[in-house]
Amino acid sequence: MAQKSQEKGVTGSAPAVDAPGRVRNVVLVGHSGAGKTTLVEALLAATGTISRPGSVTDGTTVCDHDPAAVRQQRSVSLACAPLMHDEVKVNLLDSPGYADFVGELRAGLRAADAALFVVSAVDGMDAATAGLWEECAAVGMPRAVAVSRLDHQRADFDETVALCQRVFGDNVLPLYLPMLGDDGVSVAGLMGLITQRVFDYSNGLRAAVREPDPEHLPAIADARNELIEGIIAESEDESLMDRYLGGEEIEVQVLVDDLEKAVARGHFYPVVPVCAETGVGLDALLEVLTAAFPSPLEHELPAVTGLDGSPRPPLTCDPDGPLVAEVVKTTIDRHVGRVSLVRVFSGTLRPEQTVHISGHGMAERGHPDHDADERAAHIYASLGATLREVPACIAGDICAITKSGSAETGDTISAKDNPLLVAPWEMPEPLLPIAIVAKTRSDEDVLAKNLARLVAGDPTMRLERNPQTHQMVLWCMGEAHADVVLDRLRAGGVDLDTEPVRVALRETFVVGATGHGRHVKQSGGHGQYAICDIEVEPLPSGAGFEFADKVVGGAVPHNYIPSVEKGVRAQMERGVVAGYPMVDIRVTLFDGKAHSVDSSDAAFQTAGALALREAAEKGQTALLEPVDEVAIRVPDAFVGAVMSDLSSRRGRVLGTEPDLAGSERTLVRAEVPATELVRYSVELRSMTSGAGTFRRTFVRYEPMPAHLADQIRTEHDTAGGH
Ligand SMILES: Nc1nc2c(ncn2[C@@H]2O[C@H](COP(=O)(O)OP(=O)(O)OP(=O)(O)O)[C@@H](O)[C@H]2O)c(=O)[nH]1
Ligand SMILES: [Mg+2]
């Protein structure tokens, strides 16, 4: 929720800069618990942005302000925290490491120009982080590594660096080494490899700089050589390598300049040891963030088009250019209403300006295309939940706007007289369905409205109203994600429950039969009279429904034949086996009987329905279940486990092939009944330590094995079906 500044010890006014060259947008990534939120907190305190650091366990950090984050003790959404260092504004974007919140991570990557990988010196790294590094590499995103939690007893800096080098590859090299204190365990300072100085933090955040002790020299020399070779190999000055190999000492400033260039180009990845708890390394890290990471001027911007998709010239990060900004994420704040985090790509966003907000291309996710002109009354700097008003937001910077009626995550904000569209980034697909019901009828409307608002702000959710199972299904990324959504709904005052997700089955005949439908009631008053005889035959899968009339001699009068068909169709809709719609049959009406006064359209409809039910009892019916094709990507080591799990899910493996060359991943393709896939996203993740992903597409309906169909039939009958 939005807060007044004092509550979190926020000091002074919001940082502001007047040139894109003085902005850095850095997303912190890494596995859950690596210490990202704690590190942001420490950096904010170290730069005086807040007066004292809060803690994740107490739920008092700037970034984990959401009640769900406090309860789950981890970040559940992207948070922005700007700070000033060396007259540069660094917008830190703290992303959640837990897989359920990958949508927030994606948004953070989109808004950032560089990524800081936070790797815990205690727990190492997960497969998702390794995958993310590859992704950043593919788009040339500048990266650095912070090795965190150095104060932990089991912290092992050297081992962690070695791990990073194995997983991330070449050019991942430390700029500093941790220096142990007198107790031999705690980290008292850092040894700078380029400057060959010791930064002693024994007396607080500002390190005292001194000459290294003699016993440090060999370690410094070894690591320094490696670092310098790495820097020189990336240098544009080819004479440097010869000079270095010739034994010449290269000037520190030359090394620093070359290092910064290589980092900014995304060719070199400095490692900085940090400890949020003690403050060790924070100033060294700030140095990397401000001096080595590139400004938004150097980042290629996404392509823009007109609203009709017509191409437009590429954007430049120019505060005087046409206004193009993007809604990175939208949250609903209980007090303030809708808060949208916005990255300005081009132009300047000013208060009281009327802007055009457009969102296209997300209709499949339940976000219909929309275009609206709106006035952005105020512009804020967002420090977690604290909003501080700012006079403007220039190209390259990030800000927040509130109360926009139409802005949704992924939308483009542009000038009213020059409306443009930035294509939304790729959003991961939600694969865990959760069926939600309001506890009371009066809550239903509020539930639907609030859900729609939540889904609008989070493209990794999809809302489905299933007309066949009559369930309201929220597709999400995982249980923790669902938990956050349910929490917010409840906080909004809706009493709700979840229930098991029903898969839309179908019914059919496998062995045909005739059916006699007799609806005769002639005792007193206006009577009812209709008799019909039908034959039901199975049709091939996908054939639908056919109705044939073979009545001879007017046994069923002409005008009642459509009534029989209508009655049969209505019964097919309701099902005859377990309440699922019936498909793929031919019904032939071949005989019947009518009464000159008592017969009616309604009576023949009832008779038609009765005839189908009788045929179902005499013939043989079956339940059909949807079967999906799934494409599962897993590290090679998990292929065996995934295959045997698939067979326990009645899956048929269609084939396996190596995924992209060199990725050490396998693509497993299989056909699996949808009823077996309801919780697959959760189970695949736990089976593969979070490294497995899958996609599913419906292929066809197939008969369900008899024992499972019987079970469903019995459940239906017990529940008082028909
Ligand atoms: N002692 C110590 N504890 C730390 C340090 N950094 C983080 N922690 C603790 O480790 C736990 C996880 O830290 P977080 O900052 O929440 O980790 P995170 O990377 O933000 O995790 P997610 O939000 O789930 O991605 C918290 O209980 C922190 O207090 C550190 O440097 N020293
Ligand atoms: Mg966090």
Side-chain angles (χ1 to χ4, degrees):
M1 71 217 82
Q3 284 142 339
K4 294 194 198 81
S5 330
Q6 306 88 291
E7 285 172 25
K8 291 247 161 151
V10 175
T11 60
S13 56
V17 283
D18 52 15
R22 288 171 53 205
V23 177
R24 304 288 181 272
N25 297 305
V26 181
V27 62
L28 284 86
V29 302
H31 82 71
S32 186
K36 298 177 291 296
T37 303
T38 312
L39 181 57
V40 169
E41 197 72 10
L43 290 169
L44 292 173
T47 51
T49 317
I50 54 175
S51 52
R52 62 200 130 68
S55 89
V56 172
T57 24
D58 296 345
T60 51
T61 60
V62 165
C63 294
D64 287 358
H65 53 80
D66 192 298
V70 175
R71 199 162 43 78
Q72 294 192 12
Q73 289 278 298
R74 61 179 163 219
S75 308
V76 301
S77 55
L78 183 72
C80 180
L83 57 80
M84 285 300 282
H85 179 75
D86 269 355
E87 300 190 2
V88 172
K89 180 184 181 200
V90 184
N91 290 313
L92 296 172
L93 294 158
D94 180 23
S95 73
Y98 196 65
D100 281 26
F101 307 112
V102 62
E104 304 285 321
L105 165 67
R106 300 269 144 223
L109 284 166
R110 171 71 160 216
D113 305 307
L116 179 66
F117 280 70
V118 179
V119 179
S120 157
V122 189
D123 311 309
M125 191 186 324
D126 59 351
T129 307
L132 193 58
W133 184 277
E134 276 175 35
E135 251 179 70
C136 289
V139 293
M141 177 91 134
R143 280 148 283 164
V145 178
V147 172
S148 63
R149 310 194 58 173
L150 288 176
D151 59 330
H152 198 279
Q153 273 198 331
R154 282 190 291 111
D156 188 335
F157 179 75
D158 294 342
E159 178 43 46
T160 308
V161 171
L163 172 71
C164 291
Q165 290 171 339
R166 277 200 303 278
V167 179
F168 297 157
D170 294 340
N171 282 352
V172 179
L173 291 167
L175 299 186
Y176 302 85
L177 297 180
M179 181 186 73
L180 298 185
D182 295 337
D183 58 4
V185 184
S186 66
V187 176
L190 298 183
M191 303 185 277
L193 298 180
I194 292 187
T195 54
Q196 303 186 80
R197 295 282 187 280
V198 158
F199 300 81
D200 194 329
Y201 292 82
S202 319
N203 292 323
L205 283 178
R206 291 262 163 258
V209 186
R210 61 170 167 84
E211 293 293 317
D213 300 331
E215 75 260 28
H216 296 141
L217 292 176
I220 293 181
D222 284 353
R224 184 171 203 266
N225 283 341
E226 217 181 324
L227 174 66
I228 291 177
E229 279 170 27
I231 295 172
I232 292 179
E234 289 301 327
S235 173
E236 283 163 355
D237 179 353
E238 282 162 15
S239 68
L240 266 190
M241 187 56 96
D242 294 337
R243 284 170 54 198
Y244 175 70
L245 293 177
E248 204 176 310
E249 185 65 29
I250 311 290
E251 304 83 355
V252 165
Q253 199 50 50
V254 171
L255 291 173
V256 170
D257 290 348
D258 277 345
L259 168 79
E260 290 172 359
K261 273 191 220 137
V263 174
R265 285 203 311 263
H267 292 178
F268 190 89
Y269 322 103
V271 179
V272 181
V274 290
C275 181
E277 197 65 26
T278 60
V280 168
L282 296 180
D283 48 0
L285 182 60
L286 284 167
E287 183 76 21
V288 169
L289 301 186
T290 50
F293 271 171
S295 80
L297 292 167
E298 291 168 57
H299 192 168
E300 196 181 324
L301 295 174
V304 279
T305 63
L307 296 183
D308 57 359
S310 55
R312 292 295 159 94
L315 296 177
T316 51
C317 179
D318 176 3
D320 297 322
L323 176 67
V324 180
E326 188 171 46
V327 178
V328 176
K329 63 164 291 174
T330 311
T331 40
I332 309 292
D333 180 274
R334 226 180 308 164
H335 307 287
V336 181
R338 198 183 276 233
V339 180
S340 306
L341 198 63
V342 173
R343 157 100 195 228
V344 180
F345 289 127
S346 159
T348 300
L349 191 60
R350 296 181 206 285
E352 305 298 339
Q353 194 178 9
T354 299
V355 293
H356 185 79
I357 298 183
S358 42
H360 292 208
M362 293 284 287
E364 287 156 26
R365 295 279 169 98
H367 302 227
D369 289 359
H370 50 275
D371 281 283
D373 286 338
E374 277 191 37
R375 206 167 56 98
H378 304 281
I379 294 173
Y380 302 91
S382 152
L383 177 69
T386 306
L387 299 179
R388 287 175 294 173
E389 216 168 324
V390 289
C393 182
I394 56 166
D397 206 350
I398 293 173
C399 66
I401 57 170
T402 58
K403 299 196 179 73
S404 161
S406 57
E408 293 175 1
T409 305
D411 282 3
T412 305
I413 300 178
S414 53
K416 184 177 161 230
D417 51 7
N418 184 16
L420 295 169
L421 202 56
V422 181
W425 60 97
E426 203 181 310
M427 317 271 185
E429 203 183 327
L431 288 164
L432 178 69
I434 307 276
I436 302 182
V437 274
K439 274 199 185 150
T440 63
R441 216 156 234 293
S442 61
D443 272 335
E444 272 172 16
D445 286 348
V446 192
L447 174 64
K449 197 173 118 233
N450 291 7
L451 251 180
R453 287 206 325 172
L454 281 177
V455 170
D458 185 347
T460 62
M461 281 191 264
R462 187 162 61 84
L463 192 58
E464 175 196 349
R465 269 168 244 266
N466 191 316
Q468 290 172 30
T469 61
H470 306 292
Q471 282 189 313
M472 177 136 70
V473 179
L474 181 70
W475 291 81
C476 17
M477 300 299 301
E479 273 158 340
H481 191 205
D483 198 46
V484 171
V485 183
L486 298 184
D487 216 53
R488 288 190 183 146
L489 287 170
R490 290 192 180 111
V494 189
D495 224 359
L496 57 92
D497 256 333
T498 59
E499 60 178 6
V501 173
R502 288 193 289 273
V503 171
L505 303 179
R506 290 184 175 172
E507 303 179 356
T508 193
F509 275 70
V510 276
V511 177
T514 57
H516 179 66
R518 179 188 157 83
H519 183 60
V520 177
K521 286 207 171 89
Q522 289 180 303
S523 51
H526 198 292
Q528 298 183 46
Y529 191 101
I531 295 176
C532 67
D533 288 286
I534 59 169
E535 185 186 5
V536 185
E537 297 159 90
L539 289 180
S541 170
F545 173 59
E546 287 175 19
F547 185 82
D549 163 21
K550 291 212 178 137
V551 176
V552 281
V556 176
H558 209 64
N559 52 329
Y560 293 136
I561 289 173
S563 311
V564 175
E565 177 176 352
K566 212 167 163 195
V568 167
R569 279 184 188 271
Q571 187 64 51
M572 286 175 67
E573 258 321 292
R574 290 194 295 273
V576 294
V577 184
Y580 293 102
M582 171 155 283
V583 294
D584 302 338
I585 52 169
R586 178 189 296 128
V587 169
T588 309
L589 175 65
F590 63 89
D591 203 0
K593 212 167 167 186
H595 183 276
S596 58
V597 178
D598 290 345
S599 281
S600 66
D601 170 45
F604 269 100
Q605 284 192 38
T606 310
L610 286 170
L612 184 71
R613 270 151 58 180
E614 206 211 59
E617 272 165 34
K618 280 161 63 184
Q620 197 184 332
T621 51
L623 284 179
L624 298 175
E625 59 180 351
V627 173
D628 285 12
E629 180 171 332
V630 287
I632 309 158
R633 290 189 155 78
V634 284
D636 298 344
F638 295 109
V639 173
V642 165
M643 304 269 262
S644 70
D645 173 76
L646 280 174
S647 70
S648 76
R649 288 175 198 274
R650 302 187 284 125
R652 274 188 307 271
V653 174
L654 302 173
T656 60
E657 58 196 80
D659 201 12
L660 304 173
S663 69
E664 292 179 13
R665 285 175 160 258
T666 302
L667 173 66
V668 180
R669 288 187 311 109
E671 286 182 353
V672 187
T675 51
E676 304 282 346
L677 288 175
V678 174
R679 293 183 49 78
Y680 194 55
S681 64
V682 176
E683 282 144 15
L684 177 68
R685 195 195 289 169
S686 76
M687 212 173 357
T688 59
S689 309
T693 58
F694 77 105
R695 287 181 169 276
R696 55 188 284 188
T697 20
F698 167 76
V699 272
R700 72 183 98 79
Y701 273 90
E702 272 184 21
M704 196 175 215
H707 67 282
L708 292 175
D710 286 346
Q711 207 173 317
I712 288 175
R713 203 183 295 236
T714 317
E715 279 166 19
H716 179 74
D717 292 347
T718 328
H722 269 327

